[in-house]
Amino acid sequence: MGTGGTPWRGPVLGLALLTGALTVGATGCGGSGGSGAQSGTTGAPEATRTAPGTRSSPPATEPEDLCARLVAHWSRKVLDEDTYGDYQSMGLSDGQYEILMDVVDAARAEQRREGARAAGELIDRTARERCEERYRNGNPTGGPWS
């Protein structure tokens, strides 16, 4: 029995399919067949294209808003004794932690006098006021921990 010509067809066919797949993979997704950096007709980079009416990223949160949210959230946790109080694990700076401790002290006193609801309102109000004061001239300049 002879070997015939069939043993080489499998590897050649496999190589042809692999080459075709690589060619389609390199040019099929890029639109214009180049490097993939430009889209087909608009010339805009594909990474910045979005559907009409959508944003590419959410707007940035102002530092005083982020501070107020963090301080209020963690103030409630500390007030409920639901945390051990490590400012780094809370994602707070040293200055924000100082605000938190002042807010919690005031909220404890308010809770004893007027109840939990009044303490929650005080937390929101005081955290907002203190954070706005802290960031009124932009970011603090004492380093990333301040």
Side-chain angles (χ1 to χ4, degrees):
M1 300 205 114
T3 58
T6 53
W8 62 272
R9 286 186 188 152
V12 171
L13 181 60
L15 182 59
L17 290 173
L18 178 62
T19 303
L22 290 174
T23 303
V24 169
T27 62
C29 295
S32 63
S35 66
Q38 299 290 324
S39 68
T41 59
T42 64
E46 286 193 29
T48 61
R49 292 177 56 201
T50 58
T54 61
R55 295 185 188 153
S56 59
S57 64
T61 303
E62 296 296 325
E64 61 272 15
D65 293 336
L66 182 59
C67 172
R69 283 192 231 164
L70 286 170
V71 169
H73 170 80
W74 288 111
S75 292
R76 285 180 172 81
K77 293 278 192 185
V78 171
L79 187 62
D80 294 339
E81 298 179 18
D82 191 23
T83 185
Y84 60 94
D86 177 6
Y87 75 95
Q88 291 174 330
S89 69
M90 295 176 188
L92 300 174
S93 68
D94 184 50
Q96 291 168 335
Y97 188 70
E98 285 181 32
I99 294 171
L100 176 132
M101 296 313 297
D102 291 345
V103 168
V104 169
D105 287 343
R108 280 192 180 121
E110 184 72 8
Q111 188 173 30
R112 282 192 296 273
R113 283 190 309 267
E114 301 294 328
R117 183 176 179 161
E121 291 170 359
L122 182 132
I123 286 172
D124 291 335
R125 183 177 60 253
T126 308
R128 166 68 48 199
E129 290 168 359
R130 291 286 305 273
C131 287
E132 284 177 353
E133 177 184 323
R134 177 172 173 72
Y135 291 97
R136 74 176 172 267
N137 295 325
N139 290 330
T141 58
W145 56 88
S146 61

